[in-house]
Amino acid sequence: MDDRNTMSNAHQVESFGVPWEESYGYVQAVKRGDTIYLSGQVAHNGTELVAPAPVNDAGLVTDFANTGEQLRQCYANAAELLQRFGASLDDVVEEVIYAVDVDAADAAAGPVRKEAYGRPDPQVASTMIGTPRLAFRELLVEVKFIARV
């Protein structure tokens, strides 16, 4: 592990190394004591967006059908980050889903969340919030997590 990502046993940070971390100025995850805070996870694999939504000339999303696929990638990215701390989605105690279209996100969230957490009744406090847009216009959802280990 690289020295800039580990400050001490009580404080550890992790990043993906994507350009927007540096341009915006943040890390993907911070561990303080027994709590891991994950920044909002979006649907990307490296620098490529996963299942980007189509947008019109005005930059508005024209189809929300990729919401489930994007949500699935958010959980995959969170799982990868948590693993770096020796944790998993089983350790998540709270999540907040930010959705450009709440109806589409609500329809996708149940099945995707149950699959991600590996149980029919995920043991996590969950909130969904509608938002007019996210960091990239092609994004439909973003999920923020807090885990305890």
PDB file of all heavy atoms in Angstrom, residues 29-67:
ATOM      1  N   ALA A  29     -12.551   7.041   0.252  1.00  0.00           N
ATOM      2  CA  ALA A  29     -12.938   6.451   1.534  1.00  0.00           C
ATOM      3  C   ALA A  29     -11.977   6.894   2.630  1.00  0.00           C
ATOM      4  O   ALA A  29     -10.782   7.064   2.384  1.00  0.00           O
ATOM      5  CB  ALA A  29     -12.950   4.935   1.437  1.00  0.00           C
ATOM      6  N   VAL A  30     -12.528   7.055   3.822  1.00  0.00           N
ATOM      7  CA  VAL A  30     -11.750   7.426   5.003  1.00  0.00           C
ATOM      8  C   VAL A  30     -12.172   6.508   6.141  1.00  0.00           C
ATOM      9  O   VAL A  30     -13.372   6.349   6.397  1.00  0.00           O
ATOM     10  CB  VAL A  30     -12.016   8.890   5.427  1.00  0.00           C
ATOM     11  CG1 VAL A  30     -11.268   9.232   6.703  1.00  0.00           C
ATOM     12  CG2 VAL A  30     -11.666   9.857   4.314  1.00  0.00           C
ATOM     13  N   LYS A  31     -11.185   5.934   6.808  1.00  0.00           N
ATOM     14  CA  LYS A  31     -11.474   5.137   8.003  1.00  0.00           C
ATOM     15  C   LYS A  31     -10.963   5.902   9.207  1.00  0.00           C
ATOM     16  O   LYS A  31      -9.800   6.294   9.262  1.00  0.00           O
ATOM     17  CB  LYS A  31     -10.805   3.762   7.946  1.00  0.00           C
ATOM     18  CG  LYS A  31     -11.110   2.924   9.182  1.00  0.00           C
ATOM     19  CD  LYS A  31     -10.447   1.562   9.124  1.00  0.00           C
ATOM     20  CE  LYS A  31     -10.803   0.772  10.380  1.00  0.00           C
ATOM     21  NZ  LYS A  31      -9.981  -0.422  10.515  1.00  0.00           N
ATOM     22  N   ARG A  32     -11.841   6.122  10.168  1.00  0.00           N
ATOM     23  CA  ARG A  32     -11.495   6.739  11.455  1.00  0.00           C
ATOM     24  C   ARG A  32     -11.974   5.773  12.524  1.00  0.00           C
ATOM     25  O   ARG A  32     -13.164   5.481  12.602  1.00  0.00           O
ATOM     26  CB  ARG A  32     -12.199   8.083  11.645  1.00  0.00           C
ATOM     27  CG  ARG A  32     -11.806   9.148  10.682  1.00  0.00           C
ATOM     28  CD  ARG A  32     -10.514   9.832  11.105  1.00  0.00           C
ATOM     29  NE  ARG A  32     -10.102  10.772  10.096  1.00  0.00           N
ATOM     30  CZ  ARG A  32      -9.816  12.036  10.328  1.00  0.00           C
ATOM     31  NH1 ARG A  32      -9.870  12.510  11.539  1.00  0.00           N
ATOM     32  NH2 ARG A  32      -9.428  12.807   9.341  1.00  0.00           N
ATOM     33  N   GLY A  33     -11.047   5.263  13.302  1.00  0.00           N
ATOM     34  CA  GLY A  33     -11.424   4.293  14.332  1.00  0.00           C
ATOM     35  C   GLY A  33     -12.064   3.087  13.683  1.00  0.00           C
ATOM     36  O   GLY A  33     -11.499   2.491  12.775  1.00  0.00           O
ATOM     37  N   ASP A  34     -13.276   2.744  14.130  1.00  0.00           N
ATOM     38  CA  ASP A  34     -13.961   1.565  13.579  1.00  0.00           C
ATOM     39  C   ASP A  34     -14.999   1.916  12.518  1.00  0.00           C
ATOM     40  O   ASP A  34     -15.824   1.090  12.150  1.00  0.00           O
ATOM     41  CB  ASP A  34     -14.610   0.761  14.703  1.00  0.00           C
ATOM     42  CG  ASP A  34     -15.739   1.509  15.403  1.00  0.00           C
ATOM     43  OD1 ASP A  34     -15.962   2.703  15.092  1.00  0.00           O
ATOM     44  OD2 ASP A  34     -16.407   0.912  16.259  1.00  0.00           O
ATOM     45  N   THR A  35     -14.963   3.140  12.006  1.00  0.00           N
ATOM     46  CA  THR A  35     -15.954   3.587  11.032  1.00  0.00           C
ATOM     47  C   THR A  35     -15.292   3.922   9.701  1.00  0.00           C
ATOM     48  O   THR A  35     -14.261   4.590   9.667  1.00  0.00           O
ATOM     49  CB  THR A  35     -16.715   4.818  11.568  1.00  0.00           C
ATOM     50  OG1 THR A  35     -17.267   4.491  12.854  1.00  0.00           O
ATOM     51  CG2 THR A  35     -17.841   5.222  10.632  1.00  0.00           C
ATOM     52  N   ILE A  36     -15.895   3.446   8.614  1.00  0.00           N
ATOM     53  CA  ILE A  36     -15.418   3.721   7.267  1.00  0.00           C
ATOM     54  C   ILE A  36     -16.482   4.561   6.563  1.00  0.00           C
ATOM     55  O   ILE A  36     -17.652   4.170   6.495  1.00  0.00           O
ATOM     56  CB  ILE A  36     -15.178   2.423   6.468  1.00  0.00           C
ATOM     57  CG1 ILE A  36     -14.207   1.502   7.214  1.00  0.00           C
ATOM     58  CG2 ILE A  36     -14.653   2.751   5.070  1.00  0.00           C
ATOM     59  CD1 ILE A  36     -14.170   0.086   6.658  1.00  0.00           C
ATOM     60  N   TYR A  37     -16.071   5.707   6.062  1.00  0.00           N
ATOM     61  CA  TYR A  37     -16.954   6.619   5.340  1.00  0.00           C
ATOM     62  C   TYR A  37     -16.584   6.566   3.865  1.00  0.00           C
ATOM     63  O   TYR A  37     -15.438   6.848   3.508  1.00  0.00           O
ATOM     64  CB  TYR A  37     -16.782   8.047   5.843  1.00  0.00           C
ATOM     65  CG  TYR A  37     -17.024   8.200   7.328  1.00  0.00           C
ATOM     66  CD1 TYR A  37     -15.985   8.039   8.244  1.00  0.00           C
ATOM     67  CD2 TYR A  37     -18.293   8.498   7.807  1.00  0.00           C
ATOM     68  CE1 TYR A  37     -16.200   8.169   9.599  1.00  0.00           C
ATOM     69  CE2 TYR A  37     -18.513   8.633   9.176  1.00  0.00           C
ATOM     70  CZ  TYR A  37     -17.462   8.467  10.065  1.00  0.00           C
ATOM     71  OH  TYR A  37     -17.677   8.601  11.411  1.00  0.00           O
ATOM     72  N   LEU A  38     -17.523   6.194   3.020  1.00  0.00           N
ATOM     73  CA  LEU A  38     -17.281   6.169   1.585  1.00  0.00           C
ATOM     74  C   LEU A  38     -17.935   7.374   0.934  1.00  0.00           C
ATOM     75  O   LEU A  38     -19.109   7.673   1.203  1.00  0.00           O
ATOM     76  CB  LEU A  38     -17.857   4.898   0.949  1.00  0.00           C
ATOM     77  CG  LEU A  38     -16.944   3.681   0.889  1.00  0.00           C
ATOM     78  CD1 LEU A  38     -16.491   3.245   2.258  1.00  0.00           C
ATOM     79  CD2 LEU A  38     -17.616   2.551   0.150  1.00  0.00           C
ATOM     80  N   SER A  39     -17.161   8.058   0.089  1.00  0.00           N
ATOM     81  CA  SER A  39     -17.737   9.121  -0.729  1.00  0.00           C
ATOM     82  C   SER A  39     -18.792   8.511  -1.633  1.00  0.00           C
ATOM     83  O   SER A  39     -18.804   7.298  -1.856  1.00  0.00           O
ATOM     84  CB  SER A  39     -16.646   9.764  -1.590  1.00  0.00           C
ATOM     85  OG  SER A  39     -15.704  10.440  -0.793  1.00  0.00           O
ATOM     86  N   GLY A  40     -19.645   9.338  -2.183  1.00  0.00           N
ATOM     87  CA  GLY A  40     -20.665   8.834  -3.089  1.00  0.00           C
ATOM     88  C   GLY A  40     -20.037   8.045  -4.226  1.00  0.00           C
ATOM     89  O   GLY A  40     -19.165   8.556  -4.918  1.00  0.00           O
ATOM     90  N   GLN A  41     -20.477   6.807  -4.385  1.00  0.00           N
ATOM     91  CA  GLN A  41     -19.961   5.938  -5.441  1.00  0.00           C
ATOM     92  C   GLN A  41     -20.851   6.057  -6.671  1.00  0.00           C
ATOM     93  O   GLN A  41     -22.075   6.015  -6.562  1.00  0.00           O
ATOM     94  CB  GLN A  41     -19.891   4.488  -4.965  1.00  0.00           C
ATOM     95  CG  GLN A  41     -18.913   4.302  -3.817  1.00  0.00           C
ATOM     96  CD  GLN A  41     -17.514   4.768  -4.201  1.00  0.00           C
ATOM     97  OE1 GLN A  41     -16.908   4.244  -5.123  1.00  0.00           O
ATOM     98  NE2 GLN A  41     -17.008   5.763  -3.498  1.00  0.00           N
ATOM     99  N   VAL A  42     -20.195   6.231  -7.817  1.00  0.00           N
ATOM    100  CA  VAL A  42     -20.923   6.339  -9.078  1.00  0.00           C
ATOM    101  C   VAL A  42     -20.540   5.176  -9.988  1.00  0.00           C
ATOM    102  O   VAL A  42     -19.613   4.423  -9.699  1.00  0.00           O
ATOM    103  CB  VAL A  42     -20.671   7.697  -9.773  1.00  0.00           C
ATOM    104  CG1 VAL A  42     -21.147   8.848  -8.884  1.00  0.00           C
ATOM    105  CG2 VAL A  42     -19.212   7.875 -10.156  1.00  0.00           C
ATOM    106  N   ALA A  43     -21.242   5.057 -11.097  1.00  0.00           N
ATOM    107  CA  ALA A  43     -21.057   3.937 -12.020  1.00  0.00           C
ATOM    108  C   ALA A  43     -19.867   4.189 -12.940  1.00  0.00           C
ATOM    109  O   ALA A  43     -20.009   4.716 -14.035  1.00  0.00           O
ATOM    110  CB  ALA A  43     -22.326   3.716 -12.834  1.00  0.00           C
ATOM    111  N   HIS A  44     -18.677   3.815 -12.449  1.00  0.00           N
ATOM    112  CA  HIS A  44     -17.486   3.903 -13.294  1.00  0.00           C
ATOM    113  C   HIS A  44     -16.629   2.674 -13.063  1.00  0.00           C
ATOM    114  O   HIS A  44     -16.686   2.033 -12.017  1.00  0.00           O
ATOM    115  CB  HIS A  44     -16.680   5.180 -13.002  1.00  0.00           C
ATOM    116  CG  HIS A  44     -15.972   5.150 -11.688  1.00  0.00           C
ATOM    117  ND1 HIS A  44     -14.691   4.673 -11.538  1.00  0.00           N
ATOM    118  CD2 HIS A  44     -16.371   5.517 -10.454  1.00  0.00           C
ATOM    119  CE1 HIS A  44     -14.337   4.750 -10.266  1.00  0.00           C
ATOM    120  NE2 HIS A  44     -15.342   5.256  -9.583  1.00  0.00           N
ATOM    121  N   ASN A  45     -15.853   2.349 -14.074  1.00  0.00           N
ATOM    122  CA  ASN A  45     -14.863   1.292 -13.992  1.00  0.00           C
ATOM    123  C   ASN A  45     -13.590   1.940 -14.518  1.00  0.00           C
ATOM    124  O   ASN A  45     -13.475   2.151 -15.725  1.00  0.00           O
ATOM    125  CB  ASN A  45     -15.290   0.087 -14.833  1.00  0.00           C
ATOM    126  CG  ASN A  45     -14.361  -1.088 -14.637  1.00  0.00           C
ATOM    127  OD1 ASN A  45     -13.349  -0.989 -13.957  1.00  0.00           O
ATOM    128  ND2 ASN A  45     -14.708  -2.204 -15.242  1.00  0.00           N
ATOM    129  N   GLY A  46     -12.706   2.330 -13.614  1.00  0.00           N
ATOM    130  CA  GLY A  46     -11.584   3.166 -14.017  1.00  0.00           C
ATOM    131  C   GLY A  46     -12.138   4.530 -14.388  1.00  0.00           C
ATOM    132  O   GLY A  46     -12.972   5.077 -13.675  1.00  0.00           O
ATOM    133  N   THR A  47     -11.723   5.052 -15.513  1.00  0.00           N
ATOM    134  CA  THR A  47     -12.213   6.371 -15.940  1.00  0.00           C
ATOM    135  C   THR A  47     -13.416   6.280 -16.868  1.00  0.00           C
ATOM    136  O   THR A  47     -13.930   7.300 -17.314  1.00  0.00           O
ATOM    137  CB  THR A  47     -11.096   7.168 -16.645  1.00  0.00           C
ATOM    138  OG1 THR A  47     -10.642   6.413 -17.770  1.00  0.00           O
ATOM    139  CG2 THR A  47      -9.940   7.457 -15.694  1.00  0.00           C
ATOM    140  N   GLU A  48     -13.871   5.062 -17.158  1.00  0.00           N
ATOM    141  CA  GLU A  48     -15.021   4.874 -18.052  1.00  0.00           C
ATOM    142  C   GLU A  48     -16.327   4.780 -17.257  1.00  0.00           C
ATOM    143  O   GLU A  48     -16.405   4.027 -16.286  1.00  0.00           O
ATOM    144  CB  GLU A  48     -14.857   3.583 -18.862  1.00  0.00           C
ATOM    145  CG  GLU A  48     -13.642   3.576 -19.765  1.00  0.00           C
ATOM    146  CD  GLU A  48     -13.715   4.618 -20.869  1.00  0.00           C
ATOM    147  OE1 GLU A  48     -14.815   4.788 -21.450  1.00  0.00           O
ATOM    148  OE2 GLU A  48     -12.690   5.280 -21.122  1.00  0.00           O
ATOM    149  N   LEU A  49     -17.338   5.534 -17.676  1.00  0.00           N
ATOM    150  CA  LEU A  49     -18.648   5.411 -17.058  1.00  0.00           C
ATOM    151  C   LEU A  49     -19.281   4.098 -17.506  1.00  0.00           C
ATOM    152  O   LEU A  49     -19.146   3.693 -18.658  1.00  0.00           O
ATOM    153  CB  LEU A  49     -19.550   6.583 -17.440  1.00  0.00           C
ATOM    154  CG  LEU A  49     -19.125   7.954 -16.930  1.00  0.00           C
ATOM    155  CD1 LEU A  49     -20.143   9.004 -17.357  1.00  0.00           C
ATOM    156  CD2 LEU A  49     -18.956   7.959 -15.425  1.00  0.00           C
ATOM    157  N   VAL A  50     -19.958   3.441 -16.592  1.00  0.00           N
ATOM    158  CA  VAL A  50     -20.646   2.187 -16.869  1.00  0.00           C
ATOM    159  C   VAL A  50     -22.113   2.501 -17.148  1.00  0.00           C
ATOM    160  O   VAL A  50     -22.760   3.196 -16.358  1.00  0.00           O
ATOM    161  CB  VAL A  50     -20.512   1.221 -15.672  1.00  0.00           C
ATOM    162  CG1 VAL A  50     -21.373  -0.015 -15.869  1.00  0.00           C
ATOM    163  CG2 VAL A  50     -19.055   0.843 -15.458  1.00  0.00           C
ATOM    164  N   ALA A  51     -22.620   2.010 -18.262  1.00  0.00           N
ATOM    165  CA  ALA A  51     -24.023   2.196 -18.656  1.00  0.00           C
ATOM    166  C   ALA A  51     -24.449   3.662 -18.609  1.00  0.00           C
ATOM    167  O   ALA A  51     -25.463   4.006 -18.000  1.00  0.00           O
ATOM    168  CB  ALA A  51     -24.940   1.339 -17.785  1.00  0.00           C
ATOM    169  N   PRO A  52     -23.684   4.556 -19.247  1.00  0.00           N
ATOM    170  CA  PRO A  52     -24.059   5.973 -19.212  1.00  0.00           C
ATOM    171  C   PRO A  52     -25.441   6.197 -19.813  1.00  0.00           C
ATOM    172  O   PRO A  52     -25.805   5.565 -20.804  1.00  0.00           O
ATOM    173  CB  PRO A  52     -22.972   6.658 -20.037  1.00  0.00           C
ATOM    174  CG  PRO A  52     -22.394   5.592 -20.908  1.00  0.00           C
ATOM    175  CD  PRO A  52     -22.546   4.307 -20.139  1.00  0.00           C
ATOM    176  N   ALA A  53     -26.187   7.077 -19.201  1.00  0.00           N
ATOM    177  CA  ALA A  53     -27.518   7.404 -19.706  1.00  0.00           C
ATOM    178  C   ALA A  53     -27.387   8.283 -20.941  1.00  0.00           C
ATOM    179  O   ALA A  53     -26.484   9.124 -21.022  1.00  0.00           O
ATOM    180  CB  ALA A  53     -28.313   8.146 -18.631  1.00  0.00           C
ATOM    181  N   PRO A  54     -28.282   8.117 -21.903  1.00  0.00           N
ATOM    182  CA  PRO A  54     -28.271   9.021 -23.058  1.00  0.00           C
ATOM    183  C   PRO A  54     -28.747  10.413 -22.632  1.00  0.00           C
ATOM    184  O   PRO A  54     -29.648  10.537 -21.802  1.00  0.00           O
ATOM    185  CB  PRO A  54     -29.250   8.368 -24.037  1.00  0.00           C
ATOM    186  CG  PRO A  54     -30.131   7.504 -23.191  1.00  0.00           C
ATOM    187  CD  PRO A  54     -29.323   7.100 -21.998  1.00  0.00           C
ATOM    188  N   VAL A  55     -28.117  11.428 -23.186  1.00  0.00           N
ATOM    189  CA  VAL A  55     -28.513  12.809 -22.892  1.00  0.00           C
ATOM    190  C   VAL A  55     -28.772  13.540 -24.209  1.00  0.00           C
ATOM    191  O   VAL A  55     -28.175  13.225 -25.238  1.00  0.00           O
ATOM    192  CB  VAL A  55     -27.445  13.560 -22.062  1.00  0.00           C
ATOM    193  CG1 VAL A  55     -27.279  12.952 -20.689  1.00  0.00           C
ATOM    194  CG2 VAL A  55     -26.113  13.605 -22.781  1.00  0.00           C
ATOM    195  N   ASN A  56     -29.661  14.522 -24.158  1.00  0.00           N
ATOM    196  CA  ASN A  56     -29.972  15.296 -25.361  1.00  0.00           C
ATOM    197  C   ASN A  56     -29.008  16.476 -25.495  1.00  0.00           C
ATOM    198  O   ASN A  56     -28.080  16.634 -24.679  1.00  0.00           O
ATOM    199  CB  ASN A  56     -31.440  15.734 -25.365  1.00  0.00           C
ATOM    200  CG  ASN A  56     -31.790  16.662 -24.210  1.00  0.00           C
ATOM    201  OD1 ASN A  56     -30.923  17.300 -23.604  1.00  0.00           O
ATOM    202  ND2 ASN A  56     -33.082  16.746 -23.910  1.00  0.00           N
ATOM    203  N   ASP A  57     -29.217  17.309 -26.490  1.00  0.00           N
ATOM    204  CA  ASP A  57     -28.322  18.450 -26.752  1.00  0.00           C
ATOM    205  C   ASP A  57     -28.287  19.439 -25.588  1.00  0.00           C
ATOM    206  O   ASP A  57     -27.309  20.156 -25.413  1.00  0.00           O
ATOM    207  CB  ASP A  57     -28.745  19.178 -28.029  1.00  0.00           C
ATOM    208  CG  ASP A  57     -28.484  18.350 -29.276  1.00  0.00           C
ATOM    209  OD1 ASP A  57     -27.674  17.399 -29.199  1.00  0.00           O
ATOM    210  OD2 ASP A  57     -29.106  18.642 -30.317  1.00  0.00           O
ATOM    211  N   ALA A  58     -29.344  19.461 -24.779  1.00  0.00           N
ATOM    212  CA  ALA A  58     -29.386  20.350 -23.616  1.00  0.00           C
ATOM    213  C   ALA A  58     -28.710  19.709 -22.402  1.00  0.00           C
ATOM    214  O   ALA A  58     -28.649  20.305 -21.326  1.00  0.00           O
ATOM    215  CB  ALA A  58     -30.828  20.705 -23.284  1.00  0.00           C
ATOM    216  N   GLY A  59     -28.219  18.468 -22.558  1.00  0.00           N
ATOM    217  CA  GLY A  59     -27.554  17.786 -21.458  1.00  0.00           C
ATOM    218  C   GLY A  59     -28.508  17.098 -20.502  1.00  0.00           C
ATOM    219  O   GLY A  59     -28.103  16.696 -19.413  1.00  0.00           O
ATOM    220  N   LEU A  60     -29.760  16.943 -20.899  1.00  0.00           N
ATOM    221  CA  LEU A  60     -30.748  16.293 -20.038  1.00  0.00           C
ATOM    222  C   LEU A  60     -30.864  14.818 -20.391  1.00  0.00           C
ATOM    223  O   LEU A  60     -30.852  14.444 -21.568  1.00  0.00           O
ATOM    224  CB  LEU A  60     -32.111  16.969 -20.192  1.00  0.00           C
ATOM    225  CG  LEU A  60     -32.148  18.460 -19.834  1.00  0.00           C
ATOM    226  CD1 LEU A  60     -33.518  19.047 -20.157  1.00  0.00           C
ATOM    227  CD2 LEU A  60     -31.789  18.667 -18.373  1.00  0.00           C
ATOM    228  N   VAL A  61     -31.001  13.980 -19.372  1.00  0.00           N
ATOM    229  CA  VAL A  61     -31.147  12.544 -19.570  1.00  0.00           C
ATOM    230  C   VAL A  61     -32.460  12.282 -20.311  1.00  0.00           C
ATOM    231  O   VAL A  61     -33.502  12.841 -19.962  1.00  0.00           O
ATOM    232  CB  VAL A  61     -31.136  11.809 -18.211  1.00  0.00           C
ATOM    233  CG1 VAL A  61     -31.468  10.336 -18.385  1.00  0.00           C
ATOM    234  CG2 VAL A  61     -29.780  11.973 -17.528  1.00  0.00           C
ATOM    235  N   THR A  62     -32.376  11.410 -21.325  1.00  0.00           N
ATOM    236  CA  THR A  62     -33.568  11.096 -22.127  1.00  0.00           C
ATOM    237  C   THR A  62     -34.128   9.707 -21.835  1.00  0.00           C
ATOM    238  O   THR A  62     -35.215   9.378 -22.299  1.00  0.00           O
ATOM    239  CB  THR A  62     -33.253  11.198 -23.628  1.00  0.00           C
ATOM    240  OG1 THR A  62     -32.206  10.276 -23.944  1.00  0.00           O
ATOM    241  CG2 THR A  62     -32.841  12.616 -24.000  1.00  0.00           C
ATOM    242  N   ASP A  63     -33.377   8.880 -21.075  1.00  0.00           N
ATOM    243  CA  ASP A  63     -33.820   7.520 -20.790  1.00  0.00           C
ATOM    244  C   ASP A  63     -33.178   7.065 -19.480  1.00  0.00           C
ATOM    245  O   ASP A  63     -31.961   7.190 -19.320  1.00  0.00           O
ATOM    246  CB  ASP A  63     -33.399   6.608 -21.952  1.00  0.00           C
ATOM    247  CG  ASP A  63     -33.906   5.181 -21.828  1.00  0.00           C
ATOM    248  OD1 ASP A  63     -34.332   4.767 -20.717  1.00  0.00           O
ATOM    249  OD2 ASP A  63     -33.858   4.454 -22.834  1.00  0.00           O
ATOM    250  N   PHE A  64     -33.988   6.537 -18.577  1.00  0.00           N
ATOM    251  CA  PHE A  64     -33.502   6.130 -17.255  1.00  0.00           C
ATOM    252  C   PHE A  64     -33.353   4.613 -17.129  1.00  0.00           C
ATOM    253  O   PHE A  64     -33.182   4.082 -16.033  1.00  0.00           O
ATOM    254  CB  PHE A  64     -34.448   6.664 -16.174  1.00  0.00           C
ATOM    255  CG  PHE A  64     -34.510   8.168 -16.170  1.00  0.00           C
ATOM    256  CD1 PHE A  64     -35.484   8.833 -16.895  1.00  0.00           C
ATOM    257  CD2 PHE A  64     -33.572   8.904 -15.478  1.00  0.00           C
ATOM    258  CE1 PHE A  64     -35.524  10.219 -16.920  1.00  0.00           C
ATOM    259  CE2 PHE A  64     -33.602  10.292 -15.495  1.00  0.00           C
ATOM    260  CZ  PHE A  64     -34.581  10.956 -16.217  1.00  0.00           C
ATOM    261  N   ALA A  65     -33.391   3.892 -18.253  1.00  0.00           N
ATOM    262  CA  ALA A  65     -33.368   2.427 -18.246  1.00  0.00           C
ATOM    263  C   ALA A  65     -32.084   1.840 -17.651  1.00  0.00           C
ATOM    264  O   ALA A  65     -32.086   0.702 -17.200  1.00  0.00           O
ATOM    265  CB  ALA A  65     -33.579   1.891 -19.661  1.00  0.00           C
ATOM    266  N   ASN A  66     -30.999   2.581 -17.639  1.00  0.00           N
ATOM    267  CA  ASN A  66     -29.719   2.064 -17.129  1.00  0.00           C
ATOM    268  C   ASN A  66     -29.548   2.253 -15.625  1.00  0.00           C
ATOM    269  O   ASN A  66     -28.475   1.980 -15.083  1.00  0.00           O
ATOM    270  CB  ASN A  66     -28.549   2.720 -17.854  1.00  0.00           C
ATOM    271  CG  ASN A  66     -28.464   2.314 -19.304  1.00  0.00           C
ATOM    272  OD1 ASN A  66     -29.107   1.360 -19.729  1.00  0.00           O
ATOM    273  ND2 ASN A  66     -27.685   3.048 -20.077  1.00  0.00           N
ATOM    274  N   THR A  67     -30.588   2.685 -14.946  1.00  0.00           N
ATOM    275  CA  THR A  67     -30.481   2.952 -13.510  1.00  0.00           C
ATOM    276  C   THR A  67     -30.008   1.721 -12.738  1.00  0.00           C
ATOM    277  O   THR A  67     -29.100   1.818 -11.910  1.00  0.00           O
ATOM    278  CB  THR A  67     -31.822   3.461 -12.947  1.00  0.00           C
ATOM    279  OG1 THR A  67     -32.170   4.675 -13.631  1.00  0.00           O
ATOM    280  CG2 THR A  67     -31.727   3.732 -11.459  1.00  0.00           C
TER     281      THR A  67
END
